[in-house]
Amino acid sequence: MLLLALDTATPAVTVALHDGTRALAESCQVDARRHGELLLPAVDRVLAEAGRKLDEVSDIVVGVGPGPYTGLRVGLVTATTFGAALGVPVHGLCSLDGLAYASGLTEPFVVATDARRKEVYWARYGDARTRLTEPAVDRPADIADQMDGVPAVGAGALLYDTVFTGVRRTAPEHQSGAALAELAALKLAAGEELLPPQPLYLRRPDAQVPANYKVVTPK
């Protein structure tokens, strides 16, 4: 196995290469506005660092979110394009699961990422590998009673520290490509079925077609 992992569901553009046993190389750059600009050079950099070629990749895993529309689709389109060009399977993995796995926690906790619009994407976990609830998007104030005293990881937990009042960890704040790749490798080795490479948006995109706009083209 030579697994290429990508995730652009958060402000971090993350890429890793995993051989089924360990991560060979990883790149992480945090810039919420440059996913499309940073992703392909990161893939090139990771392959070069590992001394491997793109045509050696046997599997691709991509974070499917939840995440903002524009950033998320960069990783998904890139992953599916690579898969089609190389003729290899493309697997989806919930981005919150990657953050949870990177935490290494063995106790119940919450992962929360910044969803913008003063909201968070979040899910509960029994431990680093066991998600207990489906991913959701909410205003922090609306879920405050559920978060009181619960350990939390992720940028959302750090941003809304008056709501996530349990132990907050500075890491992982953003996605780890190596953690996402390792989790996917473990699941594939165990024969678990991963998600299809389809986006988990949870809400409509920020950009909307204006209502009652004026038609300027000739009839």
Side-chain angles (χ1 to χ4, degrees):
M1 173 185 288
L2 188 63
L3 189 152
L4 177 65
L6 318 170
D7 196 302
T8 57
T10 72
V13 178
T14 56
V15 179
L17 199 64
H18 198 284
D19 67 0
T21 301
R22 64 185 180 90
L24 304 178
E26 178 183 21
S27 172
C28 180
Q29 297 168 279
V30 180
D31 191 327
R33 298 182 180 276
R34 299 175 64 210
H35 292 88
E37 181 180 344
L38 297 175
L39 183 56
L40 289 179
V43 172
D44 289 341
R45 187 165 55 251
V46 165
L47 289 167
E49 183 179 333
R52 308 299 288 266
K53 300 294 185 182
L54 184 60
D55 60 9
E56 296 179 65
V57 169
S58 64
D59 294 83
I60 297 172
V61 62
V62 59
V64 299
Y69 178 80
T70 302
L72 180 55
R73 66 179 178 174
V74 170
L76 286 162
V77 169
T78 301
T80 54
T81 301
F82 278 156
L86 299 172
V88 301
V90 182
H91 313 281
L93 200 58
C94 175
S95 298
L96 299 179
D97 290 357
L99 282 159
Y101 185 74
S103 75
L105 291 173
T106 57
E107 61 184 303
F109 66 103
V110 171
V111 173
T113 61
D114 182 14
R116 305 176 187 172
R117 301 187 191 174
K118 299 182 179 179
E119 294 179 331
V120 293
Y121 297 118
W122 68 279
R124 279 185 176 272
Y125 290 80
D127 56 47
R129 282 202 60 179
T130 308
R131 178 156 45 84
L132 302 177
T133 64
E134 291 299 315
V137 59
D138 287 288
R139 289 184 177 274
D142 294 340
I143 55 173
D145 58 336
Q146 302 177 58
M147 302 299 132
D148 189 26
V150 179
V153 301
L158 295 173
L159 184 61
Y160 298 102
D161 58 359
T162 59
V163 170
F164 296 90
T165 58
V167 177
R168 291 178 300 279
R169 297 170 179 262
T170 56
E173 180 179 353
H174 299 292
Q175 184 66 277
S176 163
L180 192 76
E182 183 171 335
L183 179 58
L186 289 171
K187 286 179 173 289
L188 290 171
E192 295 183 37
E193 185 174 347
L194 275 65
L195 298 171
Q198 299 295 326
L200 185 61
Y201 290 133
L202 300 188
R203 69 182 184 201
R204 296 178 65 83
D206 291 336
Q208 300 288 332
V209 176
N212 301 319
Y213 61 89
K214 182 178 180 181
V215 176
V216 296
T217 54
K219 295 183 179 180

